[in-house]
Amino acid sequence: MKHYEQACAIARALDIVGDRWSLLLVRELTLGPRRYRDLAAGLPGIPSNVLAARLKDLQAAGVITRRTLPAPTDVTVYELTEAGRALQPALSELLHWGLRYAPEPSQHAAAQPGWALLAAAGRPTALPAGQTCELRVGPEIFYLGSDAGTLTVRRGPAPDGDAVITMPAGTFYSLLTGQTTVTGAVRHATVDGEPEIARRALEPLAAAGAKPAPSPASPPARL
């Protein structure tokens, strides 16, 4: 890993997470622990040797850690440390900067539900504390809940959830990009459990991944 050798906190941070794929590895672990093969699937195009090297470097830097889940699972997973979780505000700012200023993805660009849900996490929600929803998009399963009035998202099921939503991928992405409403998304989904809980859980997803409208121009300053 090359270093900038600059007495600047930004440069020192980039010494750790500035290499290609490093921040995307942190992105993949934002919604919860993942196995090596899940990380490889979540980073299409990354060479196996590069993935192994980035994992090693981020572990050495204390950004991620590796552990084995207890029996009967006995699966090795990678997860963020406290230092890794502290990168979440920076990733959130990059996400919103990308929505506003980055070019639109090509029609051949890879897309995964977890990436899209990062734009909805932290948005205001009317979902009452303690009530949860499970969202299924193809083979992917996500837990939707609330924390202090904002949406929380994690990978995996919602045990004893109040509602389970099974939604086609096309409907899911249409909801995130603002091409369909929550009502339209529910109409094309299957909801088991409390319909109102399902609607409240989905509301923060509506247009979460849409490009923001341009800010109104500021009036010229008077001299």
Side-chain angles (χ1 to χ4, degrees), residues 8-127:
C8 164
I10 295 173
R12 287 186 286 122
L14 291 176
D15 284 343
I16 298 173
V17 296
D19 279 343
R20 191 178 185 213
W21 300 106
S22 292
L23 277 178
L24 293 185
L25 253 174
V26 176
R27 177 199 68 186
E28 288 305 298
L29 296 173
T30 296
L31 300 183
R34 306 209 77 185
R35 297 172 296 180
Y36 183 94
R37 69 181 186 185
D38 295 328
L39 290 172
L43 295 166
I46 188 170
S48 181
N49 64 316
V50 174
L51 174 56
R54 294 294 180 271
L55 288 170
K56 181 179 178 181
D57 291 340
L58 291 174
Q59 285 182 84
V63 175
I64 66 175
T65 188
R66 184 176 67 174
R67 68 183 174 95
T68 301
L69 298 178
T73 306
D74 292 329
V75 171
T76 299
V77 296
Y78 295 87
E79 60 187 351
L80 296 176
T81 62
E82 181 181 355
R85 291 190 296 273
L87 286 166
Q88 300 313 300
L91 282 180
S92 180
E93 290 299 322
L94 278 173
L95 186 154
H96 291 102
W97 189 92
L99 287 175
R100 182 175 295 277
Y101 299 110
E104 293 295 323
S106 72
Q107 61 180 352
H108 303 296
Q112 295 189 14
W115 304 344
L117 281 173
L118 289 175
R123 295 185 99 193
T125 179
L127 192 64

Side-chain angles (χ1 to χ4, degrees), residues 50-217:
V50 174
L51 174 56
R54 294 294 180 271
L55 288 170
K56 181 179 178 181
D57 291 340
L58 291 174
Q59 285 182 84
V63 175
I64 66 175
T65 188
R66 184 176 67 174
R67 68 183 174 95
T68 301
L69 298 178
T73 306
D74 292 329
V75 171
T76 299
V77 296
Y78 295 87
E79 60 187 351
L80 296 176
T81 62
E82 181 181 355
R85 291 190 296 273
L87 286 166
Q88 300 313 300
L91 282 180
S92 180
E93 290 299 322
L94 278 173
L95 186 154
H96 291 102
W97 189 92
L99 287 175
R100 182 175 295 277
Y101 299 110
E104 293 295 323
S106 72
Q107 61 180 352
H108 303 296
Q112 295 189 14
W115 304 344
L117 281 173
L118 289 175
R123 295 185 99 193
T125 179
L127 192 64
Q131 294 185 315
T132 61
C133 181
E134 183 172 300
L135 174 63
R136 301 175 181 176
V137 183
E140 300 262 28
I141 300 176
F142 301 94
Y143 165 104
L144 305 180
S146 65
D147 180 21
T150 60
L151 184 71
T152 58
V153 183
R154 296 198 301 265
R155 292 187 185 276
D160 303 318
D162 299 280
V164 177
I165 308 168
T166 304
M167 184 178 292
T171 301
F172 171 80
Y173 288 114
S174 292
L175 176 64
L176 265 292
T177 55
Q179 298 176 59
T180 192
T181 63
V182 171
T183 299
V186 170
R187 188 181 302 123
H188 291 90
T190 300
V191 177
D192 297 316
E194 296 289 336
E196 183 58 26
I197 296 299
R199 290 183 59 85
R200 291 185 180 188
L202 291 176
E203 282 170 357
L205 277 62
K211 189 179 185 69
S215 301

